[in-house]
Amino acid sequence: MNPTIGLFVIFFVSLMLGVPVIFSLALSSIFYLLVTDMGLAIMANQFFSGMDSFVLLCIPGFLLAGGLMNGGGITDRIVSFSNAWLGHIRGGLAMANVSGSMIFAGISGTAVSEAASIGSVMIPAMKRSGYDAPFSGAITAVASTVGPIIPPSVPMIIVGTLTGLSVGKLFIAGAVPGLLMGATMAGIAWYLARKRGYPKGEKASFRERLRATRGAIWAILMPVMIIGGLVTGLFTPTEASVFAVVFALIVGFFVYGDLTVNKFMGCMMESISGTAGILMLVGFANVFAWILTSEGIPQQIADGMLSITDNKYVLILMINLLLLLVGMFMETIAALLILFTPLLSVATAIGMDPIHFAVMMVMNLVIGLTTPPVGVCLFVSQGIARVSLGEISRAVIPFITGNIILLFMVSYIPGLSLWLPALLGMK
């Protein structure tokens, strides 16, 4: 068997058999290196060189900061704040779910942690208030996907590591599409709530709103300070992650007082585990990508797509359709590590700005977090809502449709992602 064909066969068969992406990458790479007599020393070299990036230090920092803010009682306060301002509107609890995820997105930078944290509070509350379980789970799953778009964003950190693009600029470029994504989901939730007669709560008094705002103010301030520091050049993304951890510790221990030593140790262990998983994925994906590059696969993909058509708009459509399909079967970071470089070659060949392309690709892949068969956020919300995969998959269709429409707007209107970095004078 041709080594390159064997590489892809083992990789895709392993995925279909349910083998985790990390080990699918490792097994296929080992096969290729053994068959070609290159030796496993190359694997060790490429594995560690893939992780040898200062920018990757952002990941444990933001993961730990998100865990500390969650362990310090921040989730309940975010939910209370959102509900106090939106709960009286028809479908207000669903809209509060979305706004809570948008605030939490500015802390964690990941989708799965949002789905678990916000979902554990909001889904039971929505069910008690009269929302049906599939809808409650669906809105939680899709709302969590703003995490990798709104800064800080772990996938954007990965893109910066792969390409050398400014992580700060990538963060800011995702802000407007992330806000539009949240607004789109909130609008769909409001429409469905009116159509289906979902309940609305009592309007909170000014005193109650003030109390809820005071309780959540530190959670709201954290992303503002992080983004402000990046824009003004006060600190780099890596330094921003350290600042976020220190801020979360102070708020959790001394302001809210809900963070204990035991909770702190639990957050540390979760951060270590999450970081180890991501870095292993980065390492093995770098080996896999090195093999693809040595075989000229990225250039072949680029040449193949460009040989079909040189029409910019058709190629953007083709890239989007490919990524939407890939997102259904592959985890976001793995797909970025394998496909970003070859597809970037196509994008730059048709005149797309790399920052614009990065935002488009991340948006594509996070939509896959809510689509079967490998929609991680969908599975998390399904478990909390206690509904079948079929029920929550049907309930999520209107939200996915809205997100895909927005995706194409971002794809064909570069200003939606490039306007804010340009306004702030970021280079």
Side-chain angles (χ1 to χ4, degrees), residues 200-286:
K200 59 180 179 180
E202 295 184 6
K203 188 172 183 178
S205 66
F206 178 75
R207 185 183 298 272
E208 289 171 330
R209 288 181 173 179
L210 188 62
R211 187 184 305 116
T213 303
R214 190 184 302 119
I217 191 65
W218 296 105
I220 299 169
L221 281 176
M222 178 185 275
V224 172
M225 287 190 287
I226 290 173
I227 295 171
L230 291 171
V231 169
T232 59
L234 186 62
F235 41 60
T236 65
T238 303
E239 292 165 345
S241 68
V242 176
F243 167 81
V245 171
V246 175
F247 184 88
L249 284 171
I250 293 172
V251 171
F253 276 119
F254 304 110
V255 179
Y256 292 152
D258 291 341
L259 190 62
T260 63
V261 174
N262 286 337
K263 286 183 179 179
F264 170 72
M265 295 306 296
C267 292
M268 285 287 290
M269 292 305 297
E270 288 180 10
S271 174
I272 291 169
S273 176
T275 301
I278 292 173
L279 290 182
M280 282 185 65
L281 182 56
V282 169
F284 284 123
N286 193 64

Side-chain angles (χ1 to χ4, degrees), residues 149-221:
I149 306 295
I150 291 179
S153 162
V154 171
M156 295 298 188
I157 295 170
I158 298 296
V159 170
T161 304
L162 286 171
T163 60
L165 294 171
S166 165
V167 174
K169 190 173 182 179
L170 286 165
F171 279 179
I172 303 304
V176 172
L179 292 173
L180 290 174
M181 203 171 175
T184 299
M185 289 183 283
I188 294 171
W190 174 81
Y191 171 77
L192 293 176
R194 287 179 60 86
K195 184 178 179 180
R196 299 174 184 177
Y198 287 142
K200 59 180 179 180
E202 295 184 6
K203 188 172 183 178
S205 66
F206 178 75
R207 185 183 298 272
E208 289 171 330
R209 288 181 173 179
L210 188 62
R211 187 184 305 116
T213 303
R214 190 184 302 119
I217 191 65
W218 296 105
I220 299 169
L221 281 176

Side-chain angles (χ1 to χ4, degrees), residues 29-47:
S29 299
I30 289 171
F31 165 82
Y32 177 90
L33 293 174
L34 290 177
V35 169
T36 56
D37 294 324
M38 288 188 176
L40 296 181
I42 292 177
M43 186 168 193
N45 180 56
Q46 293 300 320
F47 179 85

Side-chain angles (χ1 to χ4, degrees), residues 314-392:
V314 175
L315 282 168
I316 290 175
L317 175 63
M318 290 171 59
I319 292 172
N320 276 319
L321 294 177
L322 171 64
L323 291 174
L324 287 171
L325 180 64
V326 168
M328 294 175 65
F329 297 94
M330 192 178 294
E331 193 270 343
T332 302
I333 294 176
L336 279 172
L337 290 165
I338 295 170
L339 292 174
F340 189 86
T341 301
L343 292 180
L344 179 62
S345 300
V346 179
T348 53
I350 58 175
M352 282 189 77
D353 186 283
I355 298 289
H356 173 211
F357 174 72
V359 174
M360 183 187 87
M361 184 163 181
V362 172
M363 284 189 70
N364 264 290
L365 296 174
V366 299
I367 289 173
L369 294 172
T370 56
T371 56
V374 193
V376 182
C377 293
L378 201 64
F379 291 126
V380 171
S381 297
Q382 174 205 357
I384 299 172
R386 298 182 180 179
V387 294
S388 69
L389 182 60
E391 289 175 316
I392 197 171

